[in-house]
Amino acid sequence: MGDTFIFTFAKIKAHFEEAIRQNYRVITCREYVDYKKSGAKDKILVNRVDIDFSCSKARRLAEMFNELHLKASFFVRLHAPEYNPFSFENYRCLRAIRDAGHEIGYHSEIIDESVIWNEDAAVVLKRDLAVLETMLDVHVDGVASHGGMTGLNNLDFWKTRRPAEFGLLYEAYDEYPEFDLFNNSFYVSDSNWTSWKCYDHGRVVEGDRRDLAEHCRENHPVIYSLIHPDTYFDEHFYE
């Protein structure tokens, strides 16, 4: 029987320790924009965290990154039924992430909002960005579109709109030359919940369930890592 409990906090820490051993420079999504402009050729790992369900677990990841002297981009939902970013404890968690120097981005659900509320998606995007920026006293540079349960694709908004129209530097999957990270990287994600998945320059690698550390040892020049705090635990998933 294989190792069932592969998503412990201890193991994700070991993955990033391996990235450091393999001489990856770990950067945020916002820093990737500057990296591209600079023409640098460092071996990099772009560190993205989507907060789908748990701000407290997001804080655990931030504390882990702090111990390793790494930074990440944390993308926050505003309308999740699973958490209220304005609650007493969640706000404390998000403020701690911000104060540690991590990037705060918006985990966007603007197509869902537009259809459910019958409001224009551009209008709700502007409002959400203003709310998040005011709430945490930050400037939001990036958006990562959330994939929820509605059957709608929040990425569809960006088929006809550019991030710069909204004062943004990037959308996490955009294909504009200023960012275009997904198509120019080896993308590794825990999005399957019980296994890893990966894409090589935008194309899925079928059957490859190797973890982040294993891919770091493959020496890809650019790794785009997406993890979700909700996936991780100390002893078991239901703790």
Side-chain angles (χ1 to χ4, degrees):
M1 182 175 179
D3 184 357
T4 303
F5 302 113
I6 63 173
F7 289 108
T8 63
F9 282 108
K11 286 185 178 178
I12 191 62
K13 184 177 183 181
H15 294 330
F16 280 92
E17 289 172 333
E18 183 64 21
I20 294 168
R21 278 192 294 272
Q22 296 298 326
N23 296 313
Y24 278 93
R25 176 184 163 201
V26 179
I27 64 174
T28 66
C29 294
R30 177 169 53 203
E31 288 172 331
Y32 177 72
V33 176
D34 294 331
Y35 169 86
K36 255 195 120 169
K37 286 179 183 176
S38 73
K41 298 299 181 183
D42 312 43
K43 191 167 67 169
I44 60 169
L45 186 153
V46 183
N47 190 12
R48 172 180 157 198
V49 180
D50 287 359
I51 310 176
D52 280 4
F53 302 129
S54 174
C55 292
S56 61
K57 286 192 172 186
R59 185 174 184 176
R60 282 284 305 274
L61 286 182
E63 290 168 348
M64 177 198 78
F65 292 135
N66 296 344
E67 291 175 15
L68 297 175
H69 305 289
L70 304 177
K71 293 293 184 285
S73 299
F74 286 82
F75 292 88
V76 181
R77 295 172 72 189
L78 291 180
H79 309 287
E82 294 85 4
Y83 71 87
N84 172 13
F86 292 92
S87 75
F88 290 112
E89 190 56 27
N90 286 341
Y91 175 72
R92 277 167 47 87
C93 291
L94 295 173
R95 189 177 62 182
I97 293 169
R98 176 205 65 189
D99 290 349
H102 301 286
E103 179 185 4
I104 299 292
Y106 173 43
H107 204 20
S108 160
E109 300 174 89
I110 52 177
I111 296 295
D112 295 332
E113 294 168 57
S114 175
V115 172
I116 292 169
W117 295 337
N118 194 29
E119 294 184 12
D120 183 81
V123 171
V124 298
L125 173 59
K126 291 176 184 177
R127 184 172 64 216
D128 285 352
L129 290 172
V131 167
L132 184 57
E133 290 180 335
T134 301
M135 172 190 175
L136 289 173
D137 192 24
V138 294
H139 179 72
V140 173
D141 287 314
V143 165
S145 297
H146 177 65
M149 302 299 292
T150 63
L152 302 169
N153 188 345
N154 290 297
L155 270 171
D156 285 347
F157 177 79
W158 301 102
K159 289 179 178 179
T160 59
R161 309 300 293 265
R162 294 179 70 102
E165 295 177 50
F166 302 91
L168 298 165
L169 295 178
Y170 66 89
E171 197 287 329
Y173 295 109
D174 82 48
E175 298 182 352
Y176 295 108
E178 295 83 0
F179 196 70
D180 197 17
L181 175 57
F182 182 67
N183 292 319
N184 288 282
S185 66
F186 194 89
Y187 173 90
V188 186
S189 175
D190 61 12
S191 300
N192 284 347
W193 284 89
T194 57
S195 65
W196 292 88
K197 67 178 182 180
C198 61
Y199 290 71
D200 190 356
H201 290 73
R203 294 186 178 183
V204 65
V205 184
E206 297 288 355
D208 191 336
R209 299 292 179 255
R210 288 177 296 165
D211 60 39
L212 178 59
E214 292 174 290
H215 289 299
C216 287
R217 288 191 285 270
E218 291 290 307
N219 204 36
H220 301 286
V222 179
I223 289 180
Y224 185 9
S225 166
L226 168 61
I227 60 175
H228 299 77
D230 331 286
T231 302
Y232 297 92
F233 49 81
D234 290 309
E235 300 292 339
H236 61 85
F237 187 83
Y238 294 109
E239 63 194 15

